[in-house]
Amino acid sequence: MTRISVDTGKCIGAAQCVLTAPTVFDQNDDGFVELLQQAPDGAESRSARMAASVCPAQAITVRE
Amino acid sequence: MTSPEAGAGADAVPFVLRRPGVPFPPPEYDEFRGRPGLVKAALPSGDTVWLVTRHEEVRQVLTEPRISSNPAHRGFPAPSRTGGVPTAEEVPGWFVALDPPDHTKFRKALIPEFTVRRIRSLRPAVEEIVDDTIDRMLARGDSADLVEDFALSVPSLVISSLLGVPKVDRGFFEAKTKVLVTIGSTDEERDDASQQLLRYLDRLIAIKTKRPGDDLISKLAGDGSLSPQELSGVAMLLLIAGHETTANNIALGAVTLLEDPQWIGDERTVEELLRYYSVADLVALRVVVEDVEIGGRLLRAGEGVVPLVAGANHDPAVFARPHEFDPSRSAHGHVAFGYGIHQCLGQNLVRLEMDVAYRKLFSRVPTLRIAVPLEELPFKYDGVLFGLHALPVRW
Ligand code: HEM
Ligand code: SF4
C-alpha cells in the first residue's frame, strides 16, 4: 500500500497535485495542500506518485 | 565528476537564440544536451553564462538554494542588450526577483487568489471577455491580426478584471500594456506607458483601500500584509508576467490548431502546447551565490546560469519524439512554467484562458484561416519570449 505525506511548510500552492490526483489532494482556501486520503491504492496511488514527481516544491512524499 | 577547468577558462559559444528559418527550440539545444557537463555561452548582452538543457539539471538548478533569483547579486545575467531584469529594490513587490525568506511573504499572500477553486470560479468572467473580444474582432470585417486583436487583448483584460480594474478603464489598461510588449515602441513610449500604469495602479490601490470590492487588490490591500508600494509592484508584476507570455502561447497554439484541426477540443492540447512552445525559455535567469556542482561542473559564486526550459521540455530522456506536437503523450512534468518555489503563480489561469480562447474562437469563427503562407509568419526571433509579432487571419 502507498502512504502519502505532505509538507505544508514547503508547499507553494501551485496545485499541480490537485490537478494530477484530485481524489488524493485538495487545496485549502489559503492555497496550501491538504490530503484527502493517506493510503490510496490502484490507479489513485499511481496518480499520487505522479503528483509527487511534478510537485515543484518537492512537498509530497510517497512511501511504499 | 567535477572537471578541474570548470568555471573560468572554458570557451564560450555565442548564444544565437533563434533565427529565421530555424525551428524553435533551435537544434543547438539537442547538441548541447548531448555534450558532457554544461555549455558556457555568451548572451547577446555580452554576459557569459552556463546553459542548462537537460530536464533533470534544469529542475536541479531551479530548486538549488545556492543558486539565486536576485539580480542584485554580482554576476546576474542580462538576457539581451537592452536593460536587465528589475530588482525588488527598484520595484518593491517584484518578488520573482527575490529569494526566500523575502520571496515567501509575497507568495503566501498571493496563492489564495490563485487556487484551483478560485481560478475555476473565474471561468464565466473569462468567457465574457473572450466573447467580447471576438465580437470586436468580427465587427472589423473579414480579416484581422489575431495577435493584436485577440491574443494580446484577452490576457490583459483578464488580469485587469482579476486586479479589479473597473470595466470603463480596461480599454486604457489594454492600450498601455500593448505599448509595453510591442517591438516597435520606442523607449520613451514604453517608459511613459509603464509610468502611467504605475500611477493608475497607485490610485486604484488607494480607492480599493477605502472602498473594497471582490478582487485581488481589495483583498491584499485589506489584509495589510503588503505595503501600498509593494502591492503596486505586485500588480505590475502580474500584469507583465501574465501578458505577453499568455498572448504568445495563444497565438502560436492557434497556428498549430489551424494547421492540425484534429486536436481542437481535445482536453490534452493546452498542456502539450505549453510544453511544445516553451515560450518563456529565457525567463528563469539565475546566478550562483555559493559554489555548487551541477551536471558534473563546479559552478562558482558569481557565475550566471540559464536553465533553458525549452531545452528541458524537448529532452528525449523525458519526452519521446520531443519535437513532435502530440497531445496524446503525457506532457506531465514539463517545466514551461519553471520549477521550484518560483514556478508560475498564474499557471492555472493560463490553462483556463487558453482553453476558453480556443473553444470560443474555433466554434464562433469556424471559417477562420491563416491569411499568409506559413513561411511568411513573423516569429519573434528577437525577444526574450518566443512568439509571433503578428498573425494575419481571415474568415
Ligand atoms: C503561457 C503563459 C505563461 C508562461 C509560459 C509563464 C512562465 C513563467 C515562468 C517560467 C516563471 C518562473 C520564473 C522564474 O523561475 O524565474 C513564471 C513565474 C511567474 N509567473 Fe508566469 N507565465 C505565464 C503566465 C502568467 C500569468 C497569466 C501570470 C499572472 C496572472 C503569471 C504570473 C507569474 C508570477 C507572479 C511569477 C513569479 C512567481 C514567483 O516568483 O513565485 N504568469 N512564469
Ligand atoms: S503540487 Fe506541491 S507545491 Fe503545489 S500545491 Fe501540491 S504540494 Fe503544494
Side-chain angles (χ1 to χ4, degrees), chain B residues 62 69 95-96 103 107 114 159 162 237-238 241-242 245-246 249 274 279-280 283-286 336-338 341-346 349-350 353:
Chain B
L62 292 175
S69 288
F95 64 93
V96 68
H103 167 265
R107 185 91 191 189
F114 288 88
I159 297 172
L162 185 88
L237 172 62
L238 294 178
T245 43
T246 312
N249 245 302
L274 290 163
V279 300
V283 165
L285 305 175
R286 298 290 189 268
F337 291 121
I341 56 163
H342 292 281
Q343 195 187 55
C344 184
L345 181 70
L349 184 60
V350 173
E353 286 184 62

Side-chain angles (χ1 to χ4, degrees), chain B residues 24-88:
Chain B
F24 181 79
E28 283 87 346
Y29 287 15
D30 293 334
E31 197 235 309
F32 294 164
R33 204 185 295 110
R35 295 192 198 176
L38 303 179
V39 172
K40 190 154 213 180
L43 295 180
S45 60
D47 292 348
T48 53
V49 293
W50 293 109
L51 295 180
V52 187
T53 45
R54 285 182 286 269
H55 187 269
E56 189 190 338
E57 287 154 10
V58 164
R59 299 219 305 192
Q60 201 185 337
V61 167
L62 292 175
T63 48
E64 172 53 67
R66 285 168 287 186
I67 297 182
S68 164
S69 288
N70 193 335
H73 284 294
R74 174 180 62 89
F76 196 90
S80 60
R81 235 169 266 115
T82 53
V85 186
T87 63

Side-chain angles (χ1 to χ4, degrees), chain B residues 338-394:
Chain B
Y339 194 68
I341 56 163
H342 292 281
Q343 195 187 55
C344 184
L345 181 70
Q347 57 181 293
N348 294 318
L349 184 60
V350 173
R351 292 184 172 103
L352 172 65
E353 286 184 62
M354 288 177 71
D355 180 64
V356 174
Y358 297 133
R359 262 175 220 283
K360 294 273 181 194
L361 194 60
F362 297 121
S363 65
R364 292 199 48 200
V365 201
T367 58
L368 191 73
R369 59 193 186 277
I370 303 171
V372 298
L374 281 190
E375 315 78 76
E376 285 173 26
L377 287 179
F379 288 98
K380 290 187 176 171
Y381 295 112
D382 34 12
V384 166
L385 300 172
F386 186 62
L388 279 163
H389 289 299
L391 176 53
V393 290
R394 296 194 161 279

